Amino acid sequence: MPKTITQKILEAHSVSQKKEYAPGQEIAIRIDQTLTQDATGAMAYLQFETLEIDLVDTKISVNYVDHNTLQMGPENADDHRYLQTIAAKYGIIFSRAGNGICHQVHLERFSKPGETLLGSDSHIPTCGGVGMIAIGAGGLDVAVAMGRGTFFLSYPKVIKIHLYGKLKPWVSAKDVVLTVLEIFSTRGNVGYVFEYGGEGVKTLSVPERATITNMGTECGVTTSIFPSDERTREFLKAQCRESDWAPIQADEDAVYDSVVKIDLGEIVPKVAYPHSPGNIKQVRDLAGLKIKQVCIGSCTNSSYRDLMVAAEILKGKTIHPDVSAVVAPGSRQVLLMIARESALYNLLSSDLRLLESSCGFCCGIGQSPQTDAVSLRTSNRNFLNRSGTKSAQVYLVSPETAAASALTGEITDPRDLGTPYPHIWIPDKFIIDDSMFIQPSERPERIEIYRGPHMGTVPLSKPLPENILGEVTIKLGDNVTTDHIVPAGSRLKYRANAAKYAEFTFEVVDPSFYERAATIRDQGRDNIIVAGLSYGQGSSREHAALCPMYLGVRALLAKSIERIHKANLINFGIVPFTFVNEADYDWIDQGDELEIPDTRHLLQENKKIPVFNKTKNKTLEASVELSEREKEIILAGGTLPYIKETQKNNPT
Ligand code: MIC
Ligand code: SF4
C-alpha cells in the first residue's frame, strides 16, 4: 500500500506489531534520539532517577542548557551542574550553556532523516526539516522514553501541504508558516501531522524548512515533516555528516486525510499580532505602527541564513534611535560563522546588541519591553506576558521584516525599503567545532550527582477516588496556553522545585488562584478547573499539570484540550474531561460545587460521566477519551505510581 512519509517512519518504528494502523489508535514507537533542555530537563531527570535505570536506552540522548543561561541567583547554575552530572552518569551527551538553542543545535549536529526524536520541548518538530519524526512531549514521557526506548502516541491523520512556485524577494520561510497558521489557526489540529510536499519544497533549504516545521507547533499538530532530498543531503554535507543522509519521499499515490495547496509565489510578508501566533495579518496592513523593540533570534529564526539576511539589510546603516534591538544567534556555530564573515560586524555597527546563543528573550528571560511597548520578534510565541511585560504588544515577523522595521522605527514591509533584496551565499562547509558537547563518562559508577540546595522532590499524586467532590477553583475562556497556567521568564528558575513553582500557578490570569487552591486542598476537597476550547496550547511544560496536581486539582473540564497538555494531565493523574455538550460550559461558574460520582467505574466502562453542579442543581455530561493504558494510569494516580504498581505486580 502506498504510504506517506509519516506512515513510513512511524510504521518502521512501531513496536505495537499491528497489521493495520488506524488514525486515533494508540501505538508505541521506538525512539532513536531524545533531547531535553534545562527548563524542562531538571524535573524530567528527577523523574528519570525514580525509574532506577542504569543507562539510557536510545541511540543518542542530548541534554541541552539553553533556556536560562542568564542565571539570576544560584538556582539555574545549580540545576545546570545537576544536569551535567546526570548526563555524565546515564550515557547522555551534555551541551553546555553557550553552545546554542537545542533545536538549532540538534538540527545541525544530530538530526537524521528517517529517525525518531522525542524531546521535552514543544518545538522538537524543528528537526522535521530533515525528514525526522520529531515529537514534543512532557518531561516524564521523555524520561520514560530514555529509560525504555519507547513512546506511546495516537496514530495521526496526515495533511499534505503541497508547496509550489517560489518565494518572491523579501518573503521567507517565516511568512510561509504564518500563512499555514492563517489557514489552520492555533486550534482544531490535534491528532494531525503536516507533511510537506510538491515542487516548491526543492526551493527551500533545510534551515528554512526547519523554520516551518518549528512553528507548525503553534497549530497544535503532533509534528510537521519535510521529505529528505538533495537539499537535505547538501545541508548534512555542509555539517560534515553526509553519511547520515538517506532519501525519504512519500509514495506517489499516498493517501492523505486532506491536501492544502500553497503557491509560494503568492505569499507576502506576514505578521502575527498580539496575543496569539494565530492572529495573522499582512505586514502592509500594520505598516507605520511605531515600535520600541526588535528581537532577532529564537529557535524559529536564528540560522546562518536568517542572521546573514538581517546583517545585509542593516549593513552600513544604523537602527532608529527609538528602537532597542538585539540579536541572539541560534547556535555557537551560527555565531562563529557570522563572526568569520563580516556579518557580525555589520550587525553590531548598526547598533544591534549581541545576546548569548540561547532562548533568552523568547521566553521572557531578559529583554522585557518597556510598558505598553510594541515589540517585533522573530520568535514563535506572543502570548500575554511571555515577554515579561504584561502590557507589551508582541508581533511575530520574519528576520527581513524585523531588520527593515528596526531601521525605520515602525512596522515596515521589507519590500518597501527600496533596496535590492540581499542574496545570501550559503557555504558548502560550516564551521564544525563540537567542543561544547561533553561526552558521557566512561566510569559512570564514579559520578556523583550534584544537587543544589533549592532542588525539590518529585511530588506524587494519589489514586483516583471513587467520587470527585470539590469546587471550580477557576473558570477560564478559550485558548488558555501553558504560559497562562505556569509562567516562564523570571519564574523559570523554580522548575526543579514544584512546591515553590506552584505558587505562581495562573499568576498571569488570577494571582489569588494559589491561595484559593491551597485552601481547598487543605480542606480535603478537590480543585476543578473549567475551561473553553483548546486548553493547554503552547509549550510542553509538564509543570502546567504538575503544579495544579500539587495544589490538589483532580479534574479539568474543558471544551477541548491540546495534545501534549492532555498527556501531561494524564501523567499526573488529573482527569481530562471534555463537555459532551459545549453549551453546558455556560452552566458552570467559578466557585460552584461539583460532584462527579462513581468516576473510577464509569471511566473504565467508557461511559459518559454525569457531573452534578450542586450550586446550580443541574447535571451535565462529560466524557474522557483515554486508551486502555491511559485509563490504568489515571486510576493509579499518574504515570510514576502506575509504573511502580506494574513493577510490583510483574517483578522481572
Ligand atoms: C517555550 O517555548 O515555551 C519553552 C520554554 O521552550 C517550552 C518549554 C518549557 O516550558 O520549558 C516549550 O515550548 O515546550
Ligand atoms: Fe527556546 Fe523560545 Fe524555542 Fe522555546 S520557543 S525552545 S524558549 S527559543
Side-chain angles (χ1 to χ4, degrees):
M1 211 178 103
K3 290 194 167 54
T4 64
I5 303 172
T6 312
Q7 291 164 342
K8 286 184 187 181
I9 304 179
L10 285 180
E11 291 173 23
H13 285 79
S14 170
V15 288
S16 298
Q17 293 175 340
K18 305 240 187 252
K19 287 213 179 72
E20 270 176 41
Y21 292 86
Q25 180 186 60
E26 186 175 76
I27 62 160
I29 56 166
R30 173 97 208 142
I31 294 299
D32 297 317
Q33 305 190 3
T34 62
L35 172 172
T36 55
Q37 39 88 340
D38 53 322
T40 53
M43 185 50 72
Y45 289 109
L46 281 172
Q47 299 178 107
F48 176 80
E49 286 187 274
T50 70
L51 301 176
E52 294 172 18
I53 280 157
D54 293 339
L55 278 180
V56 291
D57 185 17
T58 52
K59 291 187 189 162
I60 291 176
S61 285
V62 192
N63 178 348
Y64 291 87
V65 171
D66 60 349
H67 275 60
N68 214 334
T69 54
L70 206 56
Q71 302 170 201
M72 298 284 290
E75 292 89 345
N76 294 126
D78 280 342
D79 286 357
H80 299 167
R81 186 65 61 197
Y82 166 73
L83 293 171
Q84 183 168 355
T85 52
I86 279 279
K89 192 167 186 76
Y90 292 107
I92 302 163
I93 299 170
F94 182 68
S95 176
R96 305 182 68 179
N99 203 25
I101 304 174
C102 57
H103 308 301
Q104 175 69 25
V105 179
H106 209 84
L107 185 76
E108 290 165 359
R109 306 304 305 137
F110 301 104
S111 63
K112 197 166 171 188
E115 291 209 337
T116 54
L117 166 69
L118 188 77
S120 60
D121 191 284
S122 55
H123 292 105
I124 298 296
T126 312
C127 284
V130 299
M132 286 188 101
I133 285 286
I135 303 178
L140 179 51
D141 280 328
V142 180
V144 173
M146 281 190 287
R148 302 186 162 179
T150 47
F151 172 66
F152 291 88
L153 84 156
S154 163
Y155 195 76
K157 293 189 230 168
V158 185
I159 296 178
K160 179 173 182 187
I161 304 193
H162 180 98
L163 303 177
Y164 63 103
K166 193 172 179 305
L167 292 172
K168 297 243 167 67
W170 299 105
V171 181
S172 64
K174 180 61 152 284
D175 302 306
V176 178
V177 71
L178 292 178
T179 304
V180 171
L181 269 148
E182 193 172 23
I183 299 170
F184 289 96
S185 87
T186 56
R187 62 175 192 238
N189 306 306
V190 172
Y192 287 94
V193 167
F194 288 157
E195 188 168 308
Y196 288 84
E199 282 299 290
V201 164
K202 292 210 278 278
T203 67
L204 301 168
S205 66
V206 164
E208 292 171 294
R209 296 175 188 185
T211 294
I212 297 171
T213 55
N214 170 286
M215 220 179 149
T217 294
E218 272 42 73
C219 296
V221 289
T222 304
T223 191
S224 303
I225 189 165
F226 271 84
S228 167
D229 57 9
E230 284 305 317
R231 300 294 306 264
T232 319
R233 183 187 211 147
E234 171 192 299
F235 171 80
L236 290 170
K237 192 168 172 206
Q239 292 289 339
C240 292
R241 299 201 288 122
E242 195 179 358
S243 58
D244 282 344
W245 181 74
I248 305 180
Q249 298 286 343
D251 291 331
E252 190 90 346
D253 29 12
V255 181
Y256 293 88
D257 198 68
S258 62
V259 179
V260 168
K261 296 193 171 180
I262 298 181
D263 181 353
L264 295 173
E266 286 295 313
I267 298 177
V268 296
K270 301 254 163 98
V271 47
Y273 60 92
H275 297 287
S276 167
N279 293 343
I280 309 294
K281 279 193 197 291
Q282 297 196 5
V283 173
R284 265 193 193 145
D285 293 339
L286 295 171
L289 184 70
K290 299 282 177 233
I291 61 170
K292 290 281 179 263
Q293 188 187 47
V294 169
C295 300
I296 301 178
S298 91
C299 58
T300 320
N301 279 119
S302 56
S303 67
Y304 173 77
R305 185 220 89 97
D306 288 340
L307 268 43
M308 287 298 289
V309 132
E312 281 299 309
I313 295 170
L314 296 168
K315 185 174 170 180
K317 307 192 173 89
T318 47
I319 58 168
H320 192 278
D322 287 346
V323 177
S324 159
V326 295
V327 57
S331 66
R332 180 164 166 269
Q333 182 186 69
V334 171
L335 177 57
L336 293 174
M337 297 281 295
I338 61 166
R340 193 176 66 181
E341 315 293 329
S342 46
L344 183 59
Y345 174 84
N346 292 334
L347 289 168
L348 296 181
S349 59
S350 75
D351 294 351
L352 244 83
R353 293 147 60 191
L354 180 65
L355 302 179
E356 270 192 274
S357 292
S358 68
C359 298
F361 72 80
C362 174
C363 54
I365 302 168
Q367 310 310 320
S368 298
Q370 74 182 66
T371 307
D372 299 337
V374 171
S375 171
L376 242 62
R377 298 176 170 217
T378 63
S379 44
N380 46 36
R381 291 184 173 150
N382 55 350
F383 303 141
L384 180 72
N385 201 42
R386 184 174 162 93
S387 66
T389 304
K390 202 165 170 185
S391 68
Q393 307 290 309
V394 177
Y395 292 73
L396 307 174
V397 294
S398 69
E400 287 84 345
T401 302
S405 309
L407 289 175
T408 60
E410 51 188 46
I411 294 190
T412 303
D413 186 316
R415 295 173 298 176
D416 298 334
L417 271 185
T419 50
Y421 186 50
H423 178 74
I424 306 302
W425 176 78
I426 306 288
D428 301 338
K429 189 170 175 314
F430 277 57
I431 297 172
I432 309 299
D433 174 357
D434 288 337
S435 60
M436 283 187 102
F437 290 113
I438 301 180
Q439 296 303 318
S441 169
E442 283 170 11
R443 307 291 305 268
E445 68 288 355
R446 292 201 178 165
I447 303 289
E448 244 185 71
I449 304 294
Y450 172 84
R451 290 170 214 280
H454 72 284
M455 196 162 226
T457 49
V458 177
L460 289 182
S461 166
K462 299 199 186 65
L464 184 72
E466 282 309 328
N467 306 319
I468 297 179
L469 203 59
E471 183 171 326
V472 178
T473 329
I474 190 161
K475 182 176 178 188
L476 302 142
D478 293 343
N479 300 336
V480 170
T481 73
T482 53
D483 274 80
H484 292 104
I485 308 173
V486 281
S490 57
R491 310 298 192 199
L492 264 179
K493 64 180 183 182
Y494 302 119
R495 285 283 178 89
N497 187 332
K500 174 75 190 156
Y501 192 46
E503 291 173 18
F504 309 109
T505 312
F506 287 117
E507 187 190 30
V508 185
V509 274
D510 180 352
S512 62
F513 174 85
Y514 170 73
E515 290 294 333
R516 275 204 317 274
T519 309
I520 293 175
R521 176 197 59 192
D522 297 345
Q523 290 166 348
R525 296 189 300 142
D526 296 317
N527 282 294
I528 299 167
I529 297 172
V530 171
L533 288 166
S534 190
Y535 182 79
Q537 286 187 9
S539 116
S540 69
R541 61 191 74 155
E542 62 188 342
H543 299 73
L546 179 60
C547 293
M549 179 277 272
Y550 177 78
L551 291 174
V553 173
R554 255 299 166 192
L556 162 75
L557 184 53
K559 290 186 186 170
S560 65
I561 310 168
E562 291 299 311
R563 174 188 69 88
I564 305 180
H565 188 60
K566 180 174 170 193
N568 287 335
L569 291 169
I570 296 168
N571 278 345
F572 295 103
I574 299 180
V575 191
F577 290 111
T578 49
F579 288 100
V580 170
N581 178 359
E582 281 185 12
D584 283 347
Y585 169 87
D586 298 331
W587 276 100
I588 306 186
D589 286 310
Q590 193 161 307
D592 284 359
E593 277 291 318
L594 301 189
E595 183 175 353
I596 314 177
D598 209 13
T599 325
R600 286 186 73 91
H601 171 69
L602 293 174
L603 205 124
Q604 274 161 307
E605 302 277 294
N606 284 339
K607 296 237 170 77
K608 295 205 176 110
I609 300 185
V611 177
F612 179 51
N613 185 338
K614 290 166 109 177
T615 312
K616 303 263 168 26
N617 196 17
K618 163 118 185 138
T619 302
L620 325 165
E621 266 187 335
S623 62
V624 204
E625 262 183 54
L626 299 172
S627 68
E628 290 306 313
R629 186 188 60 91
E630 289 169 329
K631 275 186 210 161
E632 298 289 318
I633 295 176
I634 285 279
L635 293 175
T639 294
L640 289 178
Y642 167 76
I643 291 178
K644 297 278 168 219
E645 208 173 89
T646 36
Q647 273 167 353
K648 205 166 61 200
N649 297 338
N650 315 297
T652 38

